[in-house]
Amino acid sequence: MYFWSVISVSIIGTGNVAFHLAKALSTSQSAKLQFIAGRSTTQLTDFKAFAEVSTQVSDTFHSDLIILAVSDNAIGEIAEKLQYTNGLLVHTSGSTAMDVLAPKTRIGVCYPLQTFSKRKDLNYRKIPFLLEANHQEDYALLEKLLGSLNAPVHQMNSKDRASIHLAAVFSNNFTNHILTEAAQLCNQHQVSFELLKPLLEETLEKAFLNGPENSQTGPAKRHDTQTIQKQLEALKTSEQQELYSTLTKAIQNYYER
Amino acid sequence: MYFWSVISVSIIGTGNVAFHLAKALSTSQSAKLQFIAGRSTTQLTDFKAFAEVSTQVSDTFHSDLIILAVSDNAIGEIAEKLQYTNGLLVHTSGSTAMDVLAPKTRIGVCYPLQTFSKRKDLNYRKIPFLLEANHQEDYALLEKLLGSLNAPVHQMNSKDRASIHLAAVFSNNFTNHILTEAAQLCNQHQVSFELLKPLLEETLEKAFLNGPENSQTGPAKRHDTQTIQKQLEALKTSEQQELYSTLTKAIQNYYER
């Protein structure tokens, strides 16, 4: 076990995750943010407030920790260029195995289970970080760094992380699309989408209080074919009708199992 | 325009909406809850704390307001038995037109846009009531009564109410089922569903801040076929696979329009 007073960190990538990590780490007492590396100088402009920027990944070689916050498909390729650094190399992807960073052995994963937008400030207490590392010392380093941001951390292997990433796709992307269709229904009839906010908040609260499987109500669950038929006919697009049918059938199948 | 110091109210029905309305109205300064009528004495037991209970709908005839909080299919049939009362007759259904209560003319609708569970206490400030009435005085009566519970009220005709009820089915029932599948994915891999709570809260917050259509991210939106394929293969049930495919396709179609 060893300790660091200050961890030197570089980030590779210029997306939303890179932006928020750079912003947070630039003010952390436990970290010295050294470089942010990216391909395009334009995209690096926003990062100049946080640390030195560079278009050369080699500039990151001397940091204790190099965070690869790039798209899933680019991780392996960039990792190859970094395999001879002494630093710990981690990626931030939920669905990518840690092994993509091999043959380098000081490797790890630092996956923030949250949705990031560039313009919206984040409360790190509400970003669970799922961490993984090949060596216990490197895990401790990640734990210390994220702890300095007040983020809750959880140790999780690549297989379990992929599952929760999949559950996150359901929770975030699919839920958001359902809301997109609901908002569109409101717009079509000039009623305010905002009216649905308390219902959605209560839906979430109940799901985490009693389990979503114990909270289902509505026409699908009670096989109210009259209302189902009426609602299908009221839907204006074939996309909405298909979503309605698929989800109604899914609910009915689930409770008949 | 006329005023009431205290509105006498009876409720017909013994479901969750009836229960919560009875509970709230029994303590309202503006209302005197007279009768709760239902078919079964067993189901009426829980209501004895709030007012007199009865298995005869005729006991409700002398109230200023009779609230029909029964299943959609039963509304018309019970309304027939009530057409000669002098009181205002309202139902609480989102998807049922006010006219179902005709030929009686003092009719209206009082639809709470919220999900109710018997055991969970409610904050009426977070229950938008969508109101409709045939006469202005009757609308004012409903407005006064719900105002006494601190509930926000909105005037809405039957057609618009049916649309927002449909949007509510998407928001509540369909979102809840998506969460049910997400929770199942977590259970299958022994990871805690609770970890997804901050992500879901942020998803909701962003949807109402920027509009859900401007908040979409993820493999479907960015056409990341590699991740989509990998995730489809990781899903264990054909129901999960069908939901994943349908929602992925829906997201892609939506952003290509």
Side-chain angles (χ1 to χ4, degrees):
Chain A
M1 189 78 180
Y2 60 105
F3 293 93
W4 320 261
S5 52
V6 172
I7 303 160
S8 62
V9 186
S10 285
I11 295 174
I12 299 175
T14 53
N16 291 341
V17 173
F19 182 84
H20 281 287
L21 283 177
K23 190 175 175 185
L25 291 174
S26 70
T27 62
S28 161
Q29 296 297 320
S30 306
K32 164 68 195 169
L33 189 59
Q34 295 183 314
F35 282 97
I36 295 136
R39 271 175 306 191
S40 117
T41 45
T42 319
Q43 285 172 324
L44 283 167
T45 314
D46 287 347
F47 290 78
K48 284 183 182 165
F50 309 134
E52 210 164 321
V53 301
S54 168
T55 54
Q56 305 297 322
V57 294
S58 56
D59 276 334
T60 69
F61 279 13
H62 295 292
S63 297
D64 296 328
L65 171 67
I66 304 167
I67 301 175
L68 255 178
V70 298
S71 70
D72 294 5
N73 302 333
I75 295 172
E77 187 195 322
I78 302 177
E80 250 182 64
K81 299 186 193 168
L82 292 161
Q83 57 179 301
Y84 299 113
T85 61
N86 291 323
L88 167 61
L89 180 64
V90 302
H91 71 65
T92 58
S93 163
S95 64
T96 308
M98 179 172 69
D99 287 348
V100 159
L101 305 174
K104 189 170 157 49
T105 64
R106 286 196 60 205
I107 56 179
V109 178
C110 175
Y111 168 54
L113 185 53
Q114 190 47 282
T115 167
F116 292 77
S117 334
K118 213 161 199 167
R119 288 165 301 176
K120 194 167 175 299
D121 273 345
L122 289 167
N123 174 358
Y124 277 80
R125 291 180 202 279
K126 293 205 164 181
I127 310 181
F129 274 82
L130 309 186
L131 305 182
E132 183 179 11
N134 241 355
H135 302 289
Q136 205 191 323
E137 293 83 358
D138 288 337
Y139 184 84
L141 184 153
L142 294 175
E143 202 173 27
K144 177 179 171 178
L145 187 73
L146 277 310
S148 81
L149 305 181
N150 297 315
V153 301
H154 303 267
Q155 189 159 19
M156 199 173 285
N157 65 36
S158 290
K159 199 162 164 259
D160 289 344
R161 191 179 59 252
S163 311
I164 205 161
H165 176 260
L166 187 44
V169 165
F170 274 76
S171 303
N172 174 241
N173 305 159
F174 292 174
T175 295
N176 188 69
H177 189 67
I178 297 289
L179 297 188
T180 300
E181 295 292 352
Q184 202 179 31
L185 283 168
C186 289
N187 291 342
Q188 282 165 358
H189 296 267
Q190 274 102 50
V191 298
S192 165
F193 176 54
E194 195 73 25
L195 281 176
L196 291 167
K197 199 178 178 187
L199 174 64
L200 276 157
E201 288 171 346
E202 181 78 7
T203 302
L204 267 203
E205 205 183 311
K206 274 165 79 165
F208 283 99
L209 200 66
N210 309 321
E213 68 280 12
N214 302 315
S215 310
Q216 193 57 273
T217 59
K221 170 86 185 288
R222 51 170 201 272
H223 289 263
D224 178 350
T225 43
Q226 211 176 315
T227 301
I228 291 169
Q229 198 49 43
K230 208 163 62 176
Q231 296 197 322
L232 266 173
E233 284 163 16
L235 290 168
K236 286 183 180 168
T237 72
S238 59
E239 279 97 350
Q240 288 174 338
Q241 285 167 348
E242 200 190 337
L243 270 184
Y244 188 99
S245 298
T246 305
L247 277 151
T248 296
K249 216 170 50 185
I251 291 169
Q252 294 181 339
N253 287 342
Y254 184 87
Y255 291 97
E256 266 152 28
R257 272 185 270 189
Chain B
M1 189 78 181
Y2 59 104
F3 293 92
W4 320 261
S5 53
V6 171
I7 303 160
S8 62
V9 186
S10 284
I11 295 174
I12 300 175
T14 53
N16 291 341
V17 172
F19 182 84
H20 282 287
L21 283 177
K23 190 175 176 186
L25 290 174
S26 70
T27 62
S28 161
Q29 295 298 318
S30 307
K32 165 68 195 169
L33 189 59
Q34 295 183 314
F35 282 97
I36 295 136
R39 271 175 306 192
S40 118
T41 46
T42 318
Q43 285 172 324
L44 283 167
T45 315
D46 288 345
F47 291 78
K48 285 183 182 164
F50 309 134
E52 211 165 318
V53 300
S54 167
T55 54
Q56 305 297 321
V57 294
S58 56
D59 277 334
T60 68
F61 279 13
H62 296 291
S63 296
D64 297 328
L65 171 67
I66 304 166
I67 301 175
L68 255 178
V70 299
S71 70
D72 295 5
N73 301 335
I75 295 171
E77 187 196 322
I78 302 177
E80 251 182 65
K81 298 186 192 166
L82 292 161
Q83 57 179 300
Y84 299 112
T85 61
N86 291 321
L88 166 62
L89 179 65
V90 302
H91 71 64
T92 58
S93 163
S95 65
T96 307
M98 179 171 69
D99 287 348
V100 159
L101 305 174
K104 189 169 157 52
T105 64
R106 286 196 61 206
I107 56 179
V109 178
C110 175
Y111 167 54
L113 184 53
Q114 190 49 282
T115 167
F116 292 76
S117 333
K118 213 160 199 167
R119 288 165 302 175
K120 194 167 175 301
D121 273 345
L122 289 167
N123 174 359
Y124 277 80
R125 291 180 202 279
K126 293 206 163 182
I127 310 180
F129 274 82
L130 309 186
L131 305 182
E132 184 179 10
N134 242 354
H135 301 289
Q136 205 190 323
E137 292 83 358
D138 287 338
Y139 184 84
L141 183 152
L142 293 175
E143 202 174 26
K144 177 179 171 179
L145 187 73
L146 277 310
S148 81
L149 305 180
N150 298 313
V153 301
H154 302 267
Q155 188 159 20
M156 199 173 284
N157 65 37
S158 290
K159 200 163 163 258
D160 289 345
R161 191 178 61 252
S163 312
I164 205 161
H165 175 260
L166 187 44
V169 165
F170 274 76
S171 302
N172 173 241
N173 305 158
F174 293 173
T175 295
N176 188 69
H177 189 67
I178 297 289
L179 297 188
T180 300
E181 295 292 353
Q184 202 179 32
L185 282 169
C186 290
N187 290 342
Q188 282 165 359
H189 296 267
Q190 274 102 50
V191 298
S192 165
F193 176 54
E194 196 72 25
L195 280 176
L196 290 168
K197 199 177 178 191
L199 174 65
L200 276 157
E201 288 171 346
E202 181 78 5
T203 302
L204 267 203
E205 205 183 312
K206 275 166 78 165
F208 284 98
L209 201 65
N210 309 320
E213 67 280 14
N214 303 313
S215 310
Q216 193 57 271
T217 58
K221 170 85 185 289
R222 51 169 201 272
H223 289 264
D224 178 349
T225 44
Q226 212 176 312
T227 302
I228 292 170
Q229 199 49 44
K230 207 162 64 175
Q231 297 198 320
L232 266 174
E233 283 163 17
L235 290 167
K236 286 184 179 166
T237 72
S238 59
E239 280 95 351
Q240 287 173 339
Q241 286 166 348
E242 199 190 338
L243 270 184
Y244 188 99
S245 298
T246 305
L247 277 151
T248 296
K249 216 170 48 185
I251 292 169
Q252 294 181 339
N253 287 343
Y254 184 87
Y255 292 96
E256 266 151 29
R257 274 185 266 188

